[in-house]
Amino acid sequence: DLGRLVGLVRQNKSAVKTQQRSKRTSRSGIQGDDNLQSMLVGTIMRKIKSRTWKKQRYFKLQDDCMTIWYKSKKAVSVSDVEAIRDGHQSEVLLSIADEFPADRCFTLVFRGRRGNLDLVAESAEEAQSWIRGVRKNSGVFQPLLNGTPSSSGLPRWIGDWFRKADKNNDGRMNFKEVQDLLKMMNVDMNEHHAHRLFTVRMADKSQSGSLEDDEFVLFYKMLTQREDVLRVFQEYSFDGQKLSQSDLEDFLREEQLDGMGVQQQAEQLIERYEPSDTAKLLKAMTFDGFLMYLGSAEGSIFNPQWRGVFQDMSQPLCHYFISSSHNTYLMEDQLRGQSSVEGYIRALSRGCRCVEVDCWDGANGEPIVYHGHTFTSKILFKDVVTAVGNYAFKVSEYPVILSMENHCSVEQQRVMAQHLKHILGDKLLKSTLEGKALTGLPSPEDLKRKILLKAKKIGGLEESFNGMGEDSQTGEVSDEDEVAEINEDNLHRESICRRKSKQRLSKELSDCVVYCKSVHFSNFKHSRIHSKFYEVASFTESKARKHLRETGTEFVHHNSRQLTRVYPSGFRTDSSNFNPQEMWNAGCQIVALNFQTAGEGMDLNDGLFGPNGSCGYVLKPSFMREVEKRFDPEIPHQRDGYQPVVLTIQVISGQQLPKVNIKEDSIVDPLVRVEIHGVPMDQSKQETRYIENNGFNPVWYDTLRFTLHTPELAMVRFVVEDYDKTSRNDFVGQYTLPLHCMQQGYRHIHLLSRDGTRIPPSSLFVHIRITELG
């Protein structure tokens, strides 16, 4: 087999050299790039699935430069690669670290729920060549209208389509290939109209019956005429040909509602987005420049000012919503799913700041992590701690909370404490912060680059602070609240094979708990009188809803003083998610979701925590932080500072919406639904009409209006669906953001896939207005 593989490589080297000589440099853009040249030739690498499954495979980059082929013509799309980790940075590669050096190993991490691809190259040089090559080709490429064109003048995503449609690989496209391309681009166009664009409108300047790449750009521009944007442009252009700086200033002031510094902003936009040097000299913006601005980050619906950390990070932890994960070790469902440290790596890489660890006694004295009394696979506790230590602060420096559900014997609890202290070292918070009084929780700023353990604790923080803690293990301590609450929710013990138990707690593990002591919750009156600021209560979603419904004001007040964790019901064996907005309405900070499950819940979570640098902490509104304030999410109009607003959204058009049906002739019938998630009075949904057979450039001009009574908590979710009169609509794309992060005026919304990843160049074009009511 190895000899056959080597022969393949030699044969392919010769073929690639011949092919490269015959291809034009401008077609592929790979000439002079040694990494891509090497990948085109191909190489033998080991694909690793486990310590015992290590097989040699021949990997080769295809001519489209976006697909990697290996055994049995299995393909990997480079555009699906989210990250590349070099060295032993996956569970699988760590298991064979003693066999293969780190400089030969790397991992391809894919978007969504797809598993990693772990590889070992024959040499460190070969590994680096593939790492650099894949990184170069796996970025998210912006379309022409969303930024500056590439140096070749052919935007990357159009180039990908061009190469896919160019079936005979001659760097040109005949009319048949153009027709195929139109279907790939999700545009429904009859043969007569397509042929007219191809010839009569003279895209084929060379009269050769085919298009080269520059001719294809002209053809694409004909396809992408934006009458909707042109209408806006001409409304503000004095001569209909350009926007003078004064015209642009009027547009920014009157439509985009930009206040201070409009003159300077207009100058910067012309300099940044205007492709014509002549127009720049005239301090003017052409239509192309206007398109580029509106398609850029500055022209998007999300205000780029809120992209970085902009909130006050010096307030107590309980004053923030905290991005939180439930059963973080699971990659799939809660009954038979795979447990993996990859779950922790992925959650932390998405800005999650609270991860869950379910600990049980394991073999050889080593504690394990899995969903107890189920068929989920098991992983070592020490591997989880290692992964958390390695990835905790790669995307955010703010503290990480390890929420522990402890089912271990005293002996293995001591082992857990040893692992926490030894592996995490100074990252683990082991004592109260110096100079901080024991009157309230420290802030995210105070706790930067610290990992906090949330678990049961012997006694209180005061005893530990005064050196009065017990010297030996305490009496009986109840199990984590999750088991008790599942029982209280009338889940049959026999069906889940669990029972509420008593256990003893080791002092070593107890001492690792500082500001997050897990306690059982009695009622809000008891809590108001007796609870300590460092105590954390946990609720199932159903129990939290009950408290919210019966005593919403008390719940909000409780959460202004201490942390609360809410987690999915035990009935959700498929790892589905509840709507987290309900819990945020009550001020609950640690609203734990199954990060591995895509859908509305995670869309809202990503939307809430996208601003403020995606750091995992978002400051709650002032009326939810101040103890003396009384806010009831059921009756928001009774609070101080009540000021409702009207949100008006004109959905104008869509651009290059992705196909959702795999049938070749299928074209989407898109509609747009706008959802408001907030306090109960604000919950609302409205839809546009659907546009038949047009996913390429549908136009609506439909206006939707919403009245919001608590705009500070409102989340806005834009959903595009493929209308179907006989069955449920298919999901096309979505985008979710907090109302306060929305830019007004004419804006593009760059859509995300079900997994929350970008799907360029798909977008919506809208007009936004937010006005005070009364």
Side-chain angles (χ1 to χ4, degrees), residues 324-371:
S324 306
S325 165
H326 176 246
N327 289 348
T328 315
Y329 47 88
L330 287 180
M331 302 296 287
E332 300 165 32
D333 67 80
Q334 299 183 39
L335 289 181
R336 298 176 180 275
Q338 176 193 4
S339 300
S340 172
V341 297
E342 189 65 33
Y344 294 91
I345 295 172
R346 292 189 178 192
L348 292 167
S349 298
R350 291 178 72 167
C352 180
R353 297 289 88 188
C354 180
V355 295
E356 185 180 16
V357 191
D358 287 357
C359 306
W360 300 80
D361 280 353
N364 304 315
E366 282 292 346
I368 55 174
V369 173
Y370 83 113
H371 205 233

Side-chain angles (χ1 to χ4, degrees), residues 324-345 347 352 354-360 369-372 374 376-377 379 384 403-405 407 480 482-483 486 496 498 565-578 590-597:
S324 306
S325 165
H326 176 246
N327 289 348
T328 315
Y329 47 88
L330 287 180
M331 302 296 287
E332 300 165 32
D333 67 80
Q334 299 183 39
L335 289 181
R336 298 176 180 275
Q338 176 193 4
S339 300
S340 172
V341 297
E342 189 65 33
Y344 294 91
I345 295 172
C352 180
C354 180
V355 295
E356 185 180 16
V357 191
D358 287 357
C359 306
W360 300 80
V369 173
Y370 83 113
H371 205 233
T374 67
T376 60
S377 60
I379 53 178
V384 169
S403 180
M404 182 180 292
E405 190 172 326
H407 305 273
E480 270 291 341
E482 181 167 353
V483 180
I486 287 174
I496 202 70
R498 297 214 219 180
R565 177 174 175 266
V566 182
Y567 54 90
S569 162
F571 290 106
R572 294 182 181 272
T573 54
D574 60 350
S575 292
S576 60
N577 283 313
F578 57 86
I590 304 175
V591 180
L593 298 180
N594 291 300
F595 269 51
Q596 76 273 28
T597 306

